[in-house]
PDB file of all heavy atoms in Angstrom:
ATOM      1  N   CYS Q 165     101.372  78.849 114.771  1.00  0.00           N
ATOM      2  CA  CYS Q 165     102.581  78.236 115.336  1.00  0.00           C
ATOM      3  C   CYS Q 165     102.524  78.203 116.845  1.00  0.00           C
ATOM      4  O   CYS Q 165     103.345  77.554 117.501  1.00  0.00           O
ATOM      5  CB  CYS Q 165     103.818  79.038 114.909  1.00  0.00           C
ATOM      6  SG  CYS Q 165     103.940  80.641 115.747  1.00  0.00           S
ATOM      7  N   THR Q 166     101.567  78.961 117.407  1.00  0.00           N
ATOM      8  CA  THR Q 166     101.569  79.258 118.847  1.00  0.00           C
ATOM      9  C   THR Q 166     101.525  78.022 119.755  1.00  0.00           C
ATOM     10  O   THR Q 166     102.279  77.956 120.727  1.00  0.00           O
ATOM     11  CB  THR Q 166     100.403  80.215 119.154  1.00  0.00           C
ATOM     12  OG1 THR Q 166     100.516  81.333 118.269  1.00  0.00           O
ATOM     13  CG2 THR Q 166     100.437  80.689 120.586  1.00  0.00           C
ATOM     14  N   PRO Q 167     100.666  77.040 119.473  1.00  0.00           N
ATOM     15  CA  PRO Q 167     100.657  75.874 120.369  1.00  0.00           C
ATOM     16  C   PRO Q 167     102.052  75.245 120.483  1.00  0.00           C
ATOM     17  O   PRO Q 167     102.507  74.940 121.583  1.00  0.00           O
ATOM     18  CB  PRO Q 167      99.661  74.919 119.694  1.00  0.00           C
ATOM     19  CG  PRO Q 167      98.756  75.827 118.909  1.00  0.00           C
ATOM     20  CD  PRO Q 167      99.636  76.945 118.423  1.00  0.00           C
ATOM     21  N   GLY Q 168     102.692  75.086 119.347  1.00  0.00           N
ATOM     22  CA  GLY Q 168     104.025  74.491 119.365  1.00  0.00           C
ATOM     23  C   GLY Q 168     105.031  75.372 120.077  1.00  0.00           C
ATOM     24  O   GLY Q 168     105.920  74.889 120.789  1.00  0.00           O
ATOM     25  N   MET Q 169     104.905  76.688 119.882  1.00  0.00           N
ATOM     26  CA  MET Q 169     105.826  77.614 120.539  1.00  0.00           C
ATOM     27  C   MET Q 169     105.665  77.547 122.064  1.00  0.00           C
ATOM     28  O   MET Q 169     106.649  77.520 122.801  1.00  0.00           O
ATOM     29  CB  MET Q 169     105.539  79.051 120.085  1.00  0.00           C
ATOM     30  CG  MET Q 169     105.976  79.348 118.664  1.00  0.00           C
ATOM     31  SD  MET Q 169     107.778  79.408 118.524  1.00  0.00           S
ATOM     32  CE  MET Q 169     107.938  79.724 116.757  1.00  0.00           C
ATOM     33  N   VAL Q 170     104.418  77.521 122.503  1.00  0.00           N
ATOM     34  CA  VAL Q 170     104.178  77.476 123.962  1.00  0.00           C
ATOM     35  C   VAL Q 170     104.705  76.151 124.531  1.00  0.00           C
ATOM     36  O   VAL Q 170     105.354  76.141 125.590  1.00  0.00           O
ATOM     37  CB  VAL Q 170     102.677  77.648 124.254  1.00  0.00           C
ATOM     38  CG1 VAL Q 170     102.362  77.351 125.719  1.00  0.00           C
ATOM     39  CG2 VAL Q 170     102.233  79.073 123.885  1.00  0.00           C
ATOM     40  N   MET Q 171     104.465  75.067 123.832  1.00  0.00           N
ATOM     41  CA  MET Q 171     104.927  73.764 124.341  1.00  0.00           C
ATOM     42  C   MET Q 171     106.459  73.718 124.364  1.00  0.00           C
ATOM     43  O   MET Q 171     107.063  73.185 125.310  1.00  0.00           O
ATOM     44  CB  MET Q 171     104.362  72.622 123.492  1.00  0.00           C
ATOM     45  CG  MET Q 171     102.842  72.535 123.434  1.00  0.00           C
ATOM     46  SD  MET Q 171     101.985  72.640 125.030  1.00  0.00           S
ATOM     47  CE  MET Q 171     102.349  71.033 125.714  1.00  0.00           C
ATOM     48  N   SER Q 172     107.096  74.256 123.324  1.00  0.00           N
ATOM     49  CA  SER Q 172     108.568  74.276 123.312  1.00  0.00           C
ATOM     50  C   SER Q 172     109.089  75.187 124.410  1.00  0.00           C
ATOM     51  O   SER Q 172     110.066  74.864 125.088  1.00  0.00           O
ATOM     52  CB  SER Q 172     109.086  74.761 121.959  1.00  0.00           C
ATOM     53  OG  SER Q 172     108.916  73.755 120.995  1.00  0.00           O
ATOM     54  N   ALA Q 173     108.440  76.333 124.567  1.00  0.00           N
ATOM     55  CA  ALA Q 173     108.882  77.287 125.594  1.00  0.00           C
ATOM     56  C   ALA Q 173     108.809  76.637 126.972  1.00  0.00           C
ATOM     57  O   ALA Q 173     109.723  76.772 127.799  1.00  0.00           O
ATOM     58  CB  ALA Q 173     108.027  78.556 125.553  1.00  0.00           C
ATOM     59  N   ALA Q 174     107.726  75.904 127.228  1.00  0.00           N
ATOM     60  CA  ALA Q 174     107.575  75.263 128.540  1.00  0.00           C
ATOM     61  C   ALA Q 174     108.686  74.235 128.754  1.00  0.00           C
ATOM     62  O   ALA Q 174     109.253  74.125 129.849  1.00  0.00           O
ATOM     63  CB  ALA Q 174     106.200  74.594 128.623  1.00  0.00           C
ATOM     64  N   ALA Q 175     109.009  73.493 127.704  1.00  0.00           N
ATOM     65  CA  ALA Q 175     110.077  72.496 127.831  1.00  0.00           C
ATOM     66  C   ALA Q 175     111.429  73.170 128.076  1.00  0.00           C
ATOM     67  O   ALA Q 175     112.225  72.722 128.884  1.00  0.00           O
ATOM     68  CB  ALA Q 175     110.118  71.632 126.574  1.00  0.00           C
ATOM     69  N   LEU Q 176     111.648  74.271 127.356  1.00  0.00           N
ATOM     70  CA  LEU Q 176     112.910  75.000 127.531  1.00  0.00           C
ATOM     71  C   LEU Q 176     113.049  75.492 128.972  1.00  0.00           C
ATOM     72  O   LEU Q 176     114.100  75.291 129.606  1.00  0.00           O
ATOM     73  CB  LEU Q 176     112.976  76.186 126.554  1.00  0.00           C
ATOM     74  CG  LEU Q 176     114.065  77.242 126.836  1.00  0.00           C
ATOM     75  CD1 LEU Q 176     115.461  76.617 126.727  1.00  0.00           C
ATOM     76  CD2 LEU Q 176     113.942  78.415 125.890  1.00  0.00           C
ATOM     77  N   LEU Q 177     112.002  76.126 129.459  1.00  0.00           N
ATOM     78  CA  LEU Q 177     112.114  76.719 130.799  1.00  0.00           C
ATOM     79  C   LEU Q 177     112.238  75.657 131.886  1.00  0.00           C
ATOM     80  O   LEU Q 177     112.774  75.924 132.961  1.00  0.00           O
ATOM     81  CB  LEU Q 177     110.933  77.662 131.073  1.00  0.00           C
ATOM     82  CG  LEU Q 177     110.875  78.887 130.157  1.00  0.00           C
ATOM     83  CD1 LEU Q 177     109.770  79.841 130.611  1.00  0.00           C
ATOM     84  CD2 LEU Q 177     112.206  79.626 130.091  1.00  0.00           C
ATOM     85  N   LYS Q 178     111.759  74.463 131.585  1.00  0.00           N
ATOM     86  CA  LYS Q 178     111.926  73.395 132.558  1.00  0.00           C
ATOM     87  C   LYS Q 178     113.400  72.987 132.648  1.00  0.00           C
ATOM     88  O   LYS Q 178     113.944  72.799 133.732  1.00  0.00           O
ATOM     89  CB  LYS Q 178     111.073  72.190 132.154  1.00  0.00           C
ATOM     90  CG  LYS Q 178     110.734  71.286 133.326  1.00  0.00           C
ATOM     91  CD  LYS Q 178     109.676  70.270 132.962  1.00  0.00           C
ATOM     92  CE  LYS Q 178     110.348  68.993 132.502  1.00  0.00           C
ATOM     93  NZ  LYS Q 178     109.424  67.937 132.120  1.00  0.00           N
ATOM     94  N   GLU Q 179     114.055  72.930 131.494  1.00  0.00           N
ATOM     95  CA  GLU Q 179     115.462  72.509 131.559  1.00  0.00           C
ATOM     96  C   GLU Q 179     116.416  73.674 131.778  1.00  0.00           C
ATOM     97  O   GLU Q 179     117.544  73.477 132.218  1.00  0.00           O
ATOM     98  CB  GLU Q 179     115.849  71.672 130.334  1.00  0.00           C
ATOM     99  CG  GLU Q 179     115.907  72.374 129.017  1.00  0.00           C
ATOM    100  CD  GLU Q 179     116.153  71.403 127.843  1.00  0.00           C
ATOM    101  OE1 GLU Q 179     115.367  70.454 127.632  1.00  0.00           O
ATOM    102  OE2 GLU Q 179     117.134  71.620 127.130  1.00  0.00           O
ATOM    103  N   ASN Q 180     115.981  74.874 131.476  1.00  0.00           N
ATOM    104  CA  ASN Q 180     116.857  76.045 131.597  1.00  0.00           C
ATOM    105  C   ASN Q 180     116.009  77.218 132.066  1.00  0.00           C
ATOM    106  O   ASN Q 180     115.457  77.968 131.271  1.00  0.00           O
ATOM    107  CB  ASN Q 180     117.491  76.332 130.216  1.00  0.00           C
ATOM    108  CG  ASN Q 180     118.458  77.510 130.266  1.00  0.00           C
ATOM    109  OD1 ASN Q 180     118.601  78.172 131.295  1.00  0.00           O
ATOM    110  ND2 ASN Q 180     119.112  77.762 129.147  1.00  0.00           N
ATOM    111  N   PRO Q 181     115.893  77.388 133.391  1.00  0.00           N
ATOM    112  CA  PRO Q 181     114.910  78.343 133.923  1.00  0.00           C
ATOM    113  C   PRO Q 181     115.199  79.810 133.598  1.00  0.00           C
ATOM    114  O   PRO Q 181     114.295  80.626 133.676  1.00  0.00           O
ATOM    115  CB  PRO Q 181     114.975  78.129 135.444  1.00  0.00           C
ATOM    116  CG  PRO Q 181     115.722  76.862 135.649  1.00  0.00           C
ATOM    117  CD  PRO Q 181     116.569  76.624 134.446  1.00  0.00           C
ATOM    118  N   LYS Q 182     116.433  80.167 133.263  1.00  0.00           N
ATOM    119  CA  LYS Q 182     116.732  81.559 132.928  1.00  0.00           C
ATOM    120  C   LYS Q 182     117.552  81.609 131.644  1.00  0.00           C
ATOM    121  O   LYS Q 182     118.731  81.963 131.647  1.00  0.00           O
ATOM    122  CB  LYS Q 182     117.555  82.232 134.051  1.00  0.00           C
ATOM    123  CG  LYS Q 182     116.785  82.513 135.336  1.00  0.00           C
ATOM    124  CD  LYS Q 182     116.304  83.959 135.392  1.00  0.00           C
ATOM    125  CE  LYS Q 182     115.563  84.253 136.686  1.00  0.00           C
ATOM    126  NZ  LYS Q 182     114.288  83.519 136.821  1.00  0.00           N
ATOM    127  N   PRO Q 183     116.970  81.275 130.509  1.00  0.00           N
ATOM    128  CA  PRO Q 183     117.764  81.208 129.289  1.00  0.00           C
ATOM    129  C   PRO Q 183     118.140  82.605 128.786  1.00  0.00           C
ATOM    130  O   PRO Q 183     117.392  83.567 128.958  1.00  0.00           O
ATOM    131  CB  PRO Q 183     116.809  80.534 128.284  1.00  0.00           C
ATOM    132  CG  PRO Q 183     115.444  80.853 128.790  1.00  0.00           C
ATOM    133  CD  PRO Q 183     115.551  80.938 130.282  1.00  0.00           C
ATOM    134  N   THR Q 184     119.301  82.686 128.166  1.00  0.00           N
ATOM    135  CA  THR Q 184     119.700  83.940 127.519  1.00  0.00           C
ATOM    136  C   THR Q 184     118.949  84.053 126.190  1.00  0.00           C
ATOM    137  O   THR Q 184     118.364  83.079 125.716  1.00  0.00           O
ATOM    138  CB  THR Q 184     121.204  83.944 127.196  1.00  0.00           C
ATOM    139  OG1 THR Q 184     121.455  82.865 126.278  1.00  0.00           O
ATOM    140  CG2 THR Q 184     122.043  83.753 128.459  1.00  0.00           C
ATOM    141  N   GLU Q 185     119.058  85.237 125.577  1.00  0.00           N
ATOM    142  CA  GLU Q 185     118.445  85.419 124.263  1.00  0.00           C
ATOM    143  C   GLU Q 185     118.961  84.356 123.292  1.00  0.00           C
ATOM    144  O   GLU Q 185     118.188  83.710 122.576  1.00  0.00           O
ATOM    145  CB  GLU Q 185     118.741  86.824 123.719  1.00  0.00           C
ATOM    146  CG  GLU Q 185     118.161  87.020 122.325  1.00  0.00           C
ATOM    147  CD  GLU Q 185     118.777  88.191 121.539  1.00  0.00           C
ATOM    148  OE1 GLU Q 185     119.486  89.016 122.149  1.00  0.00           O
ATOM    149  OE2 GLU Q 185     118.543  88.269 120.323  1.00  0.00           O
TER     150      GLU Q 185
END
Side-chain angles (χ1 to χ4, degrees):
Chain Q
C165 72
T166 307
M169 288 289 179
V170 169
M171 301 312 286
S172 286
L176 166 63
L177 296 187
K178 203 169 93 180
E179 68 186 58
N180 182 355
K182 289 262 181 294
T184 62
E185 178 199 347

